Amino acid sequence: TEPAPGASAAKVVSWYGAHRASVRASDYLMAVVLVVGFFFYGLLRDRLAVGAGGLAATAFGGAVLFAVGGAIGSGVQLALVDSPSSLSPASAHTLNLLNDYAVAIAVGAGVAVLLLAAGVAILRGAQLPAWVGWLAVVCGVVALAPARSIGPLPAGVWTLIVSVMLFARGSGMPVAGRPETGRAVTGGAR
C-alpha cells in the first residue's frame, strides 16, 4: 500500500522509487477512466434530467469534483514517481500529504454529492428502479465516512450497476430534451 500520511520522507521516496512502473501505469489508466467516466455521467445526467433536472445537474457536478480529485491524485503521484530521489524530504512529505488528504476530501465530497443527488433524482423521476435510488443514497452516506479512500468504492459499485441497467434498457429510456425517444422505441403514445 501507499505510504501513510505520517510516513517519513525517506519511506515515501523509497516506496515511490520502488513502484514507479505500476504507479505510472495506474495514473495513465486514470486518464482513460476519467474520459469514459465523463461520457457515462453526462449520459446519466441526461437520463435523470427527465424527471429531476436540478438534481441531475448537481449529480454531474459531484462527478466533476470526483474526477478532479482523481486527476489531482494522479498528478501528485506522477510527480512523486518522476524522480523520487531528487525530491527534497519536505517536498516528498508535502506531496504525500496532498495525495492523501486533498484528494480524499475532493473524491469523498464528489462521490457523496454524485450519489446523494442521483439517488434523490432517481426517486423523484422514476427513470430507474427505486431500489437503485435508495442504493445511491446509502452509498452516498457511506462515502462520507471518515475512512481514508472509501469514497471511490461505493461509487464504483453503484456505477457498475447503473451502467448495466442503462445498457440493458437500451435507448428506450427517455432523454431530457428528446421525449420522442421513449415513444419511438416503445411504440406507445404519451
Side-chain angles (χ1 to χ4, degrees):
T1 63
E2 295 173 11
S8 69
K11 185 171 184 175
V12 170
V13 168
S14 172
W15 192 90
Y16 280 100
H19 296 89
R20 289 175 97 176
S22 62
V23 171
R24 276 192 176 132
S26 171
D27 290 333
Y28 288 125
L29 183 60
M30 177 62 83
V32 174
V33 169
L34 291 173
V35 170
V36 171
F38 269 115
F39 279 99
F40 172 77
Y41 289 118
L43 169 71
L44 182 63
R45 181 199 61 211
D46 288 349
R47 301 291 179 164
L48 296 180
V50 172
L55 287 168
T58 302
F60 188 74
V64 170
L65 182 56
F66 178 23
V68 167
I72 290 170
S74 291
V76 168
Q77 286 187 337
L78 286 172
L80 282 163
V81 299
D82 186 39
S83 44
S85 59
S86 68
L87 291 172
S88 71
S91 297
H93 186 67
T94 301
L95 287 171
N96 191 49
L97 287 173
L98 283 172
N99 187 45
D100 283 318
Y101 292 123
V103 172
I105 295 293
V107 168
V111 167
V113 169
L114 163 66
L115 294 174
L116 291 170
V120 175
I122 290 168
L123 294 171
R124 280 191 177 171
Q127 295 302 317
L128 289 167
W131 69 266
V132 176
W134 286 114
L135 178 62
V137 169
V138 169
C139 288
V141 170
V142 168
L144 291 172
R148 199 174 116 199
S149 300
I150 199 163
L153 184 60
V157 170
W158 185 81
T159 299
L160 180 62
I161 291 168
V162 171
S163 63
V164 168
M165 294 187 83
L166 290 176
F167 179 76
R169 287 182 175 212
S171 61
M173 289 178 63
V175 176
R178 296 188 311 170
E180 71 281 353
T181 304
R183 274 197 310 270
V185 174
T186 61
R190 290 191 184 208

